[in-house]
Amino acid sequence: MSGMHYLPLTDKERREMLESIGVSSVEELFRDIPAKVRFQGKLRLPQPLSEWEALAHLGSLAARNKNLKSCVSFLGAGVYDHFIPSIVRHVTGRSEFYTSYTPYQAEISQGVLQAIFEYQTMICLLTGMEAANASLYDGATALAEGAVMACAVTGRSKVLVSRSVNPFYRQVLENYCDTRGLTLEEVPLREGKTDLAKAESLIGDGVAALALQQPNFFGLLEEMDGVSGMVHGRGALLVVSVDPISLPLVRTPAEYGADIACGEGQPLGNPPSFGGPLLGFFAAREKYIRRMPGRIAGETVDSDGRRGFVLTLQTREQHIRRERATSNICSNQALNALAAAVYMAALGPAGMREVAELCLQKAAYAREKLTALDGFRLAFPGAYFKEFAVRLPGEALDLNRYLLEHNIIGGLDLEPYYPELGPSALFCVTETRTRAEIDALVQALEGWS
Amino acid sequence: MRKEKELLFEMGAPGRRGALLPACDVLARPLGDLLPEKAQRGLSLELPELSEGEVIRHYTALSARNHGVDSGFYPLGSCTMKYNPKVNEEAAALPGFAYLHPCQDDSTVQGALELLYRAEAYLNEITGMDRVTFQPVAGAHGELTGLMLILAYHRSRGENRNKVLIPDSAHGTNPASAAMAGCSVVQIPSDARGLVDLEALKKALDEDTAALMLTNPNTLGLFEEEIAAIAAAVHGAGGLLYYDGANLNAIMGYTRPGDMGFDVVHLNLHKTFATPHGGGGPGSGPVGVKERLVPFLPLPLVEKRGADFYLDYDRPQSIGKVHGFHGNFGVVVKAYTYMAMMGAAGLKQAAADAVLNANYLMERLKKSYLLTHDRLCKHEFVLSAAWQKKNGVSAADIAKALLDYGFHPPTVYFPLIVEEALMVEPTETESKTTLDRFATAMEEIARLAGEDPAQVTGAPHTTPVGRLDEVRASRQPRVRWTPAAK
């Protein structure tokens, strides 16, 4: 029978083992399950497949999907098509890493622990922040955890979030806040950016945090000058969700005074995978380290004074602190953090900067070409990074169906999330888009009516 | 033999490169034209500069300092460290899965939606629930989601219940998730058998009770035999019953949470369904519910219309989203592959062998270690190092001594209701030979604890580093490398 090759016990061994336990059958081992709740009959699952059949079946399901390798995609909105050097998969494919558990037994987990310590360091170097954790689930939950942490730090219960923050993130944030009895208020847009004057008027004494995104959901760079001063002046924290790919070029959260910097780390060496597994990265000022959610690897010494690494500050965590923990998180996205670390190590500072420059330049090229077309207008003025919002001469849904005929996956339809924009789409251009592909998009758009 | 491994930041040389990128194929504009100076990074980016060869050697050296399921036995209680089939990795890496964008039009992702639809149907059948969401990406995330659903359900009936009852043997995530959900936690004691104290439970139930969170079999590896009475009591008080699926591996095909009376269940695909733990994640924590909670499930659910699959966002009572996109789809692909290959009989045999392995080991080891709850166990059991403790040898010492035998230790100091706990979960994918070797090692350590305790308390002796100072790490936290620290 298929699947049974994962089960090494032979019938002879099973009999010997039952005998040594002192029972006559396996059924007897389940006698503590009362008849009333026993499952009768056989689970209705399809006939088991052999490995070959399973691969054929999975292959046929996969083949029914258009994907970023078979199409040219201009989708972004939180999950991105960046180049992944081969070395990343080769490291994450090492089974000493991927088949290990959380490194609670430090002496036989130095590989994972040191890799996390290095990852934490690289997140700090990238963001300029002082301390980072070992990962959270994704960019959305990282922002929600940031808001919850800000409330714990300040002892306040209201969070302000800009309407320019990814709407998917805001949905998660709303859910986390609602459930916890925290109040969430939205700061409106002004020309596609956070209305900072409005934000200032909304920050009262009860506000724990202002949550912004940089570059924001429309790809625009928010004006960060003076924001942290305004926020800190009211005793609140500045929480920002940032694109790690932008950071080699764009001012860092530390430079504009953020207290918590988090975001989606998928662009760092992880495939989009239909939106998961992703990688929530999370960094903060050192003074808040004991309030941080999630695991943290720390340096220490062994019995002979040799450098080694352990999971540290565990008294923040659920397995020690239970209902008084800083978060309930246990499993995180460790392997995705490893991928991010390998990605950053392989690219180095020059490579990271080149990726950011290529995104910036190619997106600018695409923006110029696209908005030169009749009826296509840039939704907002300002400086952009790798995404931009465009007002369309017709429905985005129709446009994207039309583009699919040209094997192009168009930008995200913005109207469901921002009805005030009318027909519009968010285009993303990363370093993986060639000039020929951008020109093909423009050419296709010219023919759309 | 023992050596420190240098950090990435202590390697490389200025100007050295790993991966290279193509030249810019559009006319590059001056940086300042695109990014105003005040928006530009001022800090230098001090990442290491390494060749590709250096990077791979570094991580290969690190991997040699790490133990995985592929390296050896991993009897970590409540973690179900079973073998991770390789074909699952192949399936998830197919470009038609790995390179899907979550915002693609439904018409372009029919294969992915069909996979989710089928995986949901399998899990409904295995758990006896009506619908499943794949949005939660970890067990604790599933717990939080499940509690959100329960609270939404009560609110829809005009009730503001926010008390969550949790047995004292529960996983730490249970009370932490309840707190995240804004609930107060009431701890329910275990009785002498190690099961929920039914009378204490009944006393704690009232009109504020939102739910009882229960693991069955519980963290002692014992089946809650009075589950029907527990369910009746909780439901009678207007509360709901939440199933922590961490221990589902013990009962697949034998009983189902839905048939036991549970209203909400989370599963750990990275435990029961053989997907790897990745050094801490990613996991997947799908949540299944009974009919009356379906309206509240997170957005979206996969539905079928004719031959087409689609994501249904038109669900007005939904709690919204708990993840940016559709959860850890890549992990679901692996678990689906596993279920498709195991089938009904295979899953039931897995549960049977997991329980057989645990009882076999327990019977043997209870001669050398105190077994505080000596009754039939399911997939795991909890020993106590109380006998060894009298000689100054703790559960932690025993764990460290096991490292020298090439075994990952059991879970230690959990559950909290057993002194010096050693929680052993062998899983069904270990052979009798491995179990016997492990038992022999445990017996030898027990003997040494009596004859030469210093040998045990001085362990480990053969690991890449000696015993690490966790207190120092916590008192003087150093959580990143800095040039000055060297």
Side-chain angles (χ1 to χ4, degrees):
Chain A
M1 191 187 303
S2 187
M4 292 302 189
H5 58 297
Y6 303 140
L7 309 178
L9 294 185
T10 64
D11 283 340
K12 179 170 171 285
E13 286 172 322
R14 288 188 183 109
R15 281 194 302 273
E16 286 168 12
M17 291 164 76
L18 286 169
E19 196 174 318
S20 84
I21 296 166
V23 294
S24 57
S25 71
V26 168
E27 281 307 301
E28 264 192 65
L29 296 176
F30 289 88
R31 64 176 181 240
D32 52 353
I33 302 182
K36 198 174 167 186
V37 301
R38 277 295 281 267
F39 177 69
Q40 308 297 339
K42 197 176 164 198
L43 292 171
R44 285 165 304 160
L45 298 179
Q47 281 303 308
L49 305 178
S50 67
E51 177 167 336
W52 186 88
E53 291 166 315
L55 277 176
H57 169 57
L58 271 294
S60 76
L61 287 175
R64 290 179 60 206
N65 301 320
K66 287 184 190 285
N67 65 72
L68 307 190
K69 296 286 188 193
S70 66
C71 297
V72 175
S73 165
F74 293 91
L75 268 178
V79 170
Y80 299 100
D81 183 17
H82 288 287
F83 176 66
I84 303 173
S86 305
I87 187 176
V88 174
R89 278 188 298 276
H90 281 265
V91 173
T92 57
R94 292 195 71 88
S95 72
E96 299 87 342
F97 289 130
Y98 84 77
T99 72
S100 65
Y101 192 72
T102 303
Y104 290 126
Q105 290 294 338
E107 294 81 5
I108 53 166
S109 309
Q110 286 299 293
V112 163
L113 284 162
Q114 182 169 334
I116 296 173
F117 183 81
E118 291 171 347
Y119 161 81
Q120 288 170 182
T121 304
M122 286 193 270
I123 291 296
C124 289
L125 293 171
L126 199 55
T127 58
M129 303 301 285
E130 291 162 335
N133 76 4
S135 72
L136 297 173
Y137 305 141
D138 69 346
T141 54
L143 184 67
E145 290 273 12
V148 167
M149 173 175 147
C151 291
V153 166
T154 58
R156 300 173 178 185
S157 60
K158 187 171 173 182
V159 175
L160 299 181
V161 62
S162 171
R163 190 164 166 77
S164 73
V165 169
N166 188 321
F168 308 127
Y169 289 22
R170 281 187 281 125
Q171 279 182 289
V172 174
L173 179 62
E174 186 182 344
N175 215 350
Y176 271 61
C177 286
D178 268 5
T179 279
R180 234 189 144 109
L182 305 171
T183 312
L184 186 65
E185 189 166 350
E186 192 174 280
V187 181
L189 296 177
R190 189 161 178 273
E191 300 248 49
K193 296 182 200 168
T194 309
D195 185 338
L196 289 170
K198 186 75 185 164
E200 186 163 18
S201 73
L202 289 174
I203 296 194
D205 290 341
V207 171
L210 172 64
L212 302 178
Q213 182 177 329
Q214 179 77 329
N216 73 21
F217 187 65
F218 305 111
L220 278 166
L221 287 154
E222 295 274 351
E223 310 282 346
M224 288 298 189
D225 271 353
V227 173
S228 64
M230 164 183 77
V231 172
H232 294 153
R234 298 295 181 86
L237 303 192
L238 177 59
V239 180
V240 288
S241 179
V242 293
D243 176 358
I245 293 291
S246 74
L247 288 175
L249 286 185
V250 173
R251 205 161 158 224
T252 61
E255 290 170 289
Y256 50 78
D259 300 282
I260 295 170
C262 55
E264 181 50 63
Q266 173 270 329
L268 304 170
N270 289 280
S273 204
F274 205 37
L278 301 177
L279 166 63
F281 69 85
F282 193 97
R285 293 166 175 273
E286 187 150 24
K287 65 177 170 182
Y288 300 131
I289 188 169
R290 286 174 199 275
R291 296 281 192 174
M292 287 216 298
R295 297 183 182 127
I296 301 174
E299 186 183 322
T300 187
V301 294
D302 74 359
S303 41
D304 298 322
R306 216 175 277 112
R307 179 172 67 190
F309 302 91
V310 293
L311 288 179
T312 193
L313 304 174
Q314 292 190 56
T315 50
R316 299 166 300 114
E317 293 187 71
Q318 48 76 27
H319 61 283
I320 307 281
R321 194 54 67 87
R322 297 174 83 84
E323 64 266 31
R324 290 182 303 282
T326 55
S327 167
N328 69 333
I329 189 166
C330 181
S331 283
N332 57 19
Q333 303 285 119
L335 199 68
N336 306 93
L338 176 65
V342 179
Y343 177 87
M344 289 188 273
L347 266 83
M352 291 286 292
R353 191 178 160 96
E354 283 168 19
V355 171
E357 280 171 350
L358 287 169
C359 291
L360 184 77
Q361 295 289 351
K362 292 190 185 207
Y365 174 81
R367 199 162 64 237
E368 197 176 291
K369 290 278 183 179
L370 240 78
T371 53
L373 295 170
D374 256 1
F376 290 80
R377 288 184 298 125
L378 197 57
F380 308 109
Y384 287 87
F385 180 56
K386 69 184 182 193
E387 294 176 276
F388 51 94
V390 177
R391 290 188 211 263
L392 306 172
E395 298 295 325
L397 210 60
D398 295 336
L399 175 68
N400 284 339
R401 283 203 187 117
Y402 164 81
L403 287 174
L404 268 179
E405 292 165 18
H406 294 77
N407 213 35
I408 294 171
I409 297 174
L412 181 84
D413 180 1
L414 284 170
E415 210 174 343
Y417 314 104
Y418 297 94
E420 68 268 32
L421 291 184
S424 53
L426 181 68
F427 287 85
C428 175
V429 181
T430 70
E431 83 284 4
T432 59
R433 291 289 72 79
T434 63
R435 177 177 177 160
E437 290 169 343
I438 299 167
D439 290 345
L441 168 71
V442 172
Q443 205 180 359
L445 292 177
E446 276 172 349
W448 182 50
S449 51
Chain B
M1 277 301 287
R2 281 183 169 163
K3 248 171 51 182
E4 288 181 6
K5 170 71 188 84
E6 71 216 322
L7 291 159
L8 278 173
F9 315 101
E10 297 157 354
M11 300 162 52
R16 202 172 280 167
R17 291 289 304 260
L20 291 181
L21 291 149
C24 188
D25 60 358
V26 301
L27 184 64
R29 301 214 212 140
L31 185 59
D33 287 2
L34 297 174
L35 265 188
E37 197 157 339
K38 64 176 183 178
Q40 289 180 28
R41 181 176 180 119
L43 276 179
S44 67
L45 181 57
E46 288 169 347
L47 292 173
E49 297 175 78
L50 306 157
S51 69
E52 183 170 321
E54 280 178 294
V55 177
I56 199 77
R57 284 220 174 119
H58 175 70
Y59 284 103
T60 303
L62 288 186
S63 73
R65 294 160 78 85
N66 216 69
H67 182 96
V69 170
D70 286 4
S71 322
F73 190 35
Y74 222 124
L76 202 59
S78 265
C79 299
T80 314
M81 295 297 284
K82 63 169 77 175
Y83 174 66
N84 310 128
K86 302 309 160 197
V87 60
N88 301 354
E89 303 298 310
E90 302 280 317
L94 291 168
F97 293 137
Y99 286 90
L100 294 186
H101 192 288
C103 301
Q104 279 178 234
D105 188 77
D106 290 352
S107 67
T108 68
V109 291
Q110 286 295 298
L113 297 182
E114 180 173 347
L115 185 146
L116 289 171
Y117 189 84
R118 284 166 166 265
E120 183 190 339
Y122 295 4
L123 293 181
N124 284 336
E125 175 68 8
I126 292 165
T127 59
M129 307 307 278
D130 293 313
R131 290 303 304 260
V132 167
T133 171
F134 287 104
Q135 218 170 91
V137 300
H141 201 203
E143 292 174 17
L144 178 61
T145 305
L147 289 168
M148 286 173 172
L149 298 171
I150 287 169
L151 296 176
Y153 167 80
H154 288 310
R155 276 201 301 268
S156 77
R157 296 157 50 91
E159 293 185 349
N160 260 320
R161 293 166 175 257
N162 78 340
K163 199 165 94 179
V164 175
L165 312 185
I166 299 173
D168 56 6
S169 61
H171 297 115
T173 48
N174 290 182
S177 298
M180 280 290 275
C183 296
S184 61
V185 175
V186 176
Q187 189 166 295
I188 305 299
S190 303
D191 63 18
R193 298 170 303 168
L195 306 179
V196 168
D197 184 330
L198 190 54
E199 289 315 306
L201 170 67
K202 283 179 180 165
K203 267 186 220 144
L205 286 165
D206 61 19
E207 64 281 3
D208 287 334
T209 303
L212 168 70
M213 295 181 86
L214 198 62
T215 312
N216 196 18
N218 67 23
T219 63
L220 292 167
L222 307 178
F223 194 82
E224 296 284 354
E225 295 178 23
E226 289 165 329
I227 183 61
I230 290 171
V234 173
H235 289 150
L240 296 182
L241 209 57
Y242 182 94
Y243 184 82
D244 176 335
N247 295 347
L248 185 79
N249 203 45
I251 57 167
M252 285 185 294
Y254 284 94
T255 178
R256 311 190 299 177
D259 301 340
M260 288 186 244
F262 287 93
D263 304 286
V264 183
V265 40
H266 90 254
L267 303 173
N268 301 75
L269 300 188
H270 48 292
K271 296 181 180 178
T272 316
F273 297 95
T275 76
H277 282 68
S284 174
V287 168
V289 297
K290 286 282 183 63
E291 194 63 49
R292 55 181 165 160
L293 287 136
V294 169
F296 310 103
L297 283 171
L299 294 174
L301 282 180
V302 181
E303 301 286 0
K304 192 175 182 187
R305 189 190 291 122
D308 296 332
F309 299 92
Y310 67 101
L311 291 169
D312 181 15
Y313 287 90
D314 185 18
R315 312 187 65 256
Q317 285 187 281
S318 164
I319 58 166
K321 288 175 85 69
V322 294
H323 182 262
F325 299 95
H326 312 308
N328 280 347
F329 173 76
V331 178
V332 179
V333 173
K334 298 178 194 184
Y336 173 76
T337 308
Y338 175 74
M339 291 189 281
M341 288 180 65
M342 293 295 280
L347 292 176
K348 189 171 181 183
Q349 189 64 53
D353 285 356
V355 170
L356 177 60
N357 276 355
N359 278 285
Y360 174 74
L361 262 185
M362 180 177 79
E363 281 304 313
R364 182 160 165 190
L365 289 176
K366 74 181 189 189
K367 297 171 193 114
S368 314
Y369 295 85
L370 172 66
L371 179 65
T372 54
H373 299 82
D374 189 0
R375 35 193 292 136
L376 195 62
C377 73
K378 292 272 81 58
H379 66 303
E380 68 189 5
F381 59 95
V382 180
L383 299 170
S384 165
W387 295 343
Q388 288 73 24
K389 185 77 181 175
K390 286 180 195 143
N391 289 330
V393 173
S394 67
D397 294 324
I398 291 162
K400 299 302 179 198
L402 272 170
L403 302 179
D404 287 330
Y405 293 86
F407 296 118
H408 193 286
T411 299
V412 289
Y413 300 107
F414 183 82
L416 307 176
I417 57 172
V418 174
E419 180 201 352
E420 296 292 326
L422 289 154
M423 184 192 209
V424 183
E425 180 180 6
T427 84
E428 73 280 9
T429 60
E430 296 299 334
S431 68
K432 179 169 177 292
T433 315
T434 301
L435 303 183
D436 287 336
R437 284 191 188 136
F438 174 74
T440 304
M442 286 288 284
E443 285 160 1
E444 216 169 286
I445 293 166
R447 184 178 56 77
L448 280 175
E451 294 169 6
D452 186 6
Q455 263 220 57
V456 184
T457 55
H461 304 282
T462 58
T463 48
V465 292
R467 209 181 280 205
L468 290 157
D469 188 346
E470 294 194 8
V471 174
R472 173 189 163 121
S474 185
R475 289 212 179 126
Q476 308 159 40
R478 188 177 287 173
V479 301
R480 59 172 291 191
W481 173 84
T482 52
K486 184 58 193 169

